């Protein structure tokens, strides 16, 4: 099969013919969403589980019976550790992750543990539904951990934020979207999806909560200053540049700063049931498998509107 291989962090992905994978449920990949985590692995900011590695953990595929399934980031958990037993398998100490420890979906075929795959709702194409499998699932976990406040800030308006904005508006919240300075396309997309404000400076009023999707630590003090007393700031990414020091008064008055890690299978079931009710619509830019490196380049440069998806059907 054809696959895009990461031979070594820092080097471009290489398209190669490799044997079909073994050791699980065999899946024909139709589409695979491109996540910023893939870029962190490509650039050496996160450590790959093995090399060469096939990236990609937002896999839309069909199994041998022709059933359409989704494969998310969480590939396997131990089931017996204190976290697994407590319903917090996202924190399992022995968890394995798709596209990091297990080869992922930048390939024509993949294998997965059936217990960690999900049937996908109808009504969205393979390309459109792929970004729900990480941006949607982990974004929704971040939204729940942000609390029920009405005024929600989203820092970084890419794949995850453009999905979560729709969910938040559906829940009756007011969304304030923060983008890079002058990113008119992202600001327009945010307004189109129901954000009442989009910009790069201070929001027009204090927020109840903020979710930081961009991997930029300098946004943490800015977001803390943008939330009202008692507000929550959630860091939703797996990697972030160092957070600059900030005065304690920016955290005081019971502001909360926390991160989100991975997902549980319950998160996936909950979000995949919710998405058609919103209904969530995604904006995607498709790339062929041999353009995977270009997709990562454009993501790094902030030149993707909505979500990038690898289309394995062409
Ligand atoms: Zn465990
Ligand atoms: Zn991801």
């Amino acid at each position: 099969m054809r696959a895009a291989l990461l031979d070594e962090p820092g080097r471009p992905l290489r398209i190669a013919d490799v044997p079909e994978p073994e050791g699980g449920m065999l899946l024909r990949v139709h589409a695979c969403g491109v996540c910023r985590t893939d870029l962190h692995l490509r650039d050496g900011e996160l450590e790959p589980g093995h090399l060469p590695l096939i990236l990609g953990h937002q896999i839309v595929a069909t199994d041998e019976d022709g059933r359409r399934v989704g494969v998310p980031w969480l590939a396997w958990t131990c089931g017996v550790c204190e976290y697994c037993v407590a319903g917090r398998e996202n924190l399992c100490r022995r968890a394995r992750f798709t596209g990091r420890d297990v080869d992922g979906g930048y390939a024509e075929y993949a294998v997965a543990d059936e217990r960690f795959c999900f049937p996908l709702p109808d009504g969205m194409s393979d390309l459109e539904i792929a970004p729900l499998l990480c941006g949607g699932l982990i974004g929704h976990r971040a939204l729940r951990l942000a609390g029920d406040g009405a005024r929600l800030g989203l820092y970084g308006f890419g794949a995850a934020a453009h999905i979560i904005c729709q969910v938040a508006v559906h829940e009756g919240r007011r969304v304030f979207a923060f983008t890079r300075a002058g990113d008119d396309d992202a600001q327009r997309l945010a307004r189109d999806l129901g954000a009442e404000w989009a910009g790069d400076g201070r929001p027009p009023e204090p927020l109840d909560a903020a979710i930081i999707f961009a991997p930029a630590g300098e946004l943490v003090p800015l977001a803390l200053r943008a939330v009202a007393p008692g507000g929550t700031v959630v860091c939703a990414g797996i990697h972030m540049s160092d957070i600059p020091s900030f005065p304690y008064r920016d955290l005081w008055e019971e502001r909360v700063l926390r991160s989100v890690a991975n997902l549980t299978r319950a998160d996936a079931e909950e979000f995949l049931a919710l998405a058609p009710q919103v209904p969530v619509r995604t904006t995607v830019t498709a790339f062929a498998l041999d353009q995977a490196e270009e997709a990562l380049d454009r993501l790094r440069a902030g030149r993707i509107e909505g979500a990038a998806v690898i289309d394995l059907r062409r």
Side-chain angles (χ1 to χ4, degrees):
M1 68 167 184
R2 290 171 71 237
L5 300 179
L6 176 65
D7 291 312
E8 198 182 318
R11 295 234 316 256
L13 302 186
R14 174 173 62 91
I15 305 298
D17 275 307
V18 298
E20 278 182 24
E22 294 175 351
M25 182 169 69
L26 183 66
L27 299 169
R28 173 76 177 92
V29 181
H30 292 206
C32 185
V34 176
C35 175
R36 187 165 287 281
T37 298
D38 305 343
L39 182 57
H40 293 316
L41 287 159
R42 152 71 179 77
D43 287 347
E45 290 157 336
L46 294 175
E47 196 172 342
H50 59 263
L51 291 171
L53 173 68
I54 301 174
L55 298 170
H57 56 269
Q58 305 184 84
I59 304 175
V60 180
T62 43
D63 67 12
E64 284 164 319
D65 299 326
R67 226 174 29 129
R68 188 167 80 147
V69 298
V71 183
W73 170 241
L74 189 72
W76 183 88
T77 55
C78 79
V80 296
C81 74
E82 59 180 308
Y83 292 109
C84 282
V85 168
R88 304 174 77 192
E89 64 180 353
N90 59 307
L91 301 178
C92 174
R93 306 326 291 156
R94 294 169 60 206
R96 292 164 62 78
F97 298 102
T98 310
R100 191 193 80 173
D101 306 303
V102 178
D103 279 334
Y106 289 18
E108 291 175 319
Y109 291 90
V111 290
D113 184 325
E114 194 170 357
R115 298 169 301 165
F116 292 83
C117 300
F118 299 91
L120 295 175
D122 297 327
M124 292 177 84
S125 71
D126 296 336
L127 292 179
E128 288 166 342
I129 207 164
L132 301 193
L133 289 165
C134 186
L137 301 188
I138 298 179
H140 187 243
R141 184 177 177 85
L143 179 62
R144 282 195 291 105
L145 293 179
D148 296 327
R151 297 166 300 182
L152 177 72
L154 300 177
Y155 286 79
F157 205 83
H162 98 290
I163 294 168
I164 293 313
C165 176
Q166 298 171 60
V167 177
V169 169
H170 172 74
E171 292 174 343
R173 305 192 202 219
R174 300 167 58 202
V175 175
F176 300 78
F178 298 78
T179 71
R180 297 188 206 207
D183 192 343
D184 297 335
D185 289 344
Q187 291 176 12
R188 181 181 39 73
L189 178 61
R191 286 191 204 93
D192 287 349
L193 295 175
E196 73 171 59
W197 177 90
D200 57 69
R202 282 186 74 87
E205 59 186 284
L207 307 172
D208 299 305
I211 304 173
I212 303 178
F213 290 109
E218 66 268 22
L219 294 174
V220 171
L222 292 179
L224 281 170
R225 266 172 241 147
V227 298
T232 298
V233 174
V234 180
C235 301
I238 190 170
H239 170 83
M240 187 180 250
S241 57
D242 287 353
I243 300 169
S245 72
F246 55 87
Y248 175 63
R249 67 172 175 272
D250 291 343
L251 180 64
W252 190 61
E253 294 180 310
E254 301 192 350
R255 290 175 181 85
V256 173
L257 174 63
R258 69 172 302 163
S259 66
V260 165
N262 313 319
L263 71 145
T264 67
R265 281 172 283 180
D267 292 331
E269 283 157 14
E270 183 181 311
F271 181 72
L272 291 172
L274 171 65
Q277 292 170 26
V278 172
V280 172
R281 294 283 170 241
T282 55
T283 298
V284 302
T285 305
F287 295 85
L289 180 64
D290 58 14
Q291 297 174 304
E293 178 67 20
E294 182 189 335
L296 292 172
D297 272 345
R298 283 181 51 178
L299 182 60
R300 190 189 298 105
R303 290 191 297 113
I304 299 280
E305 184 168 316
V309 179
I310 310 289
D311 182 355
L312 277 303
R313 300 164 313 173
R314 53 180 184 168

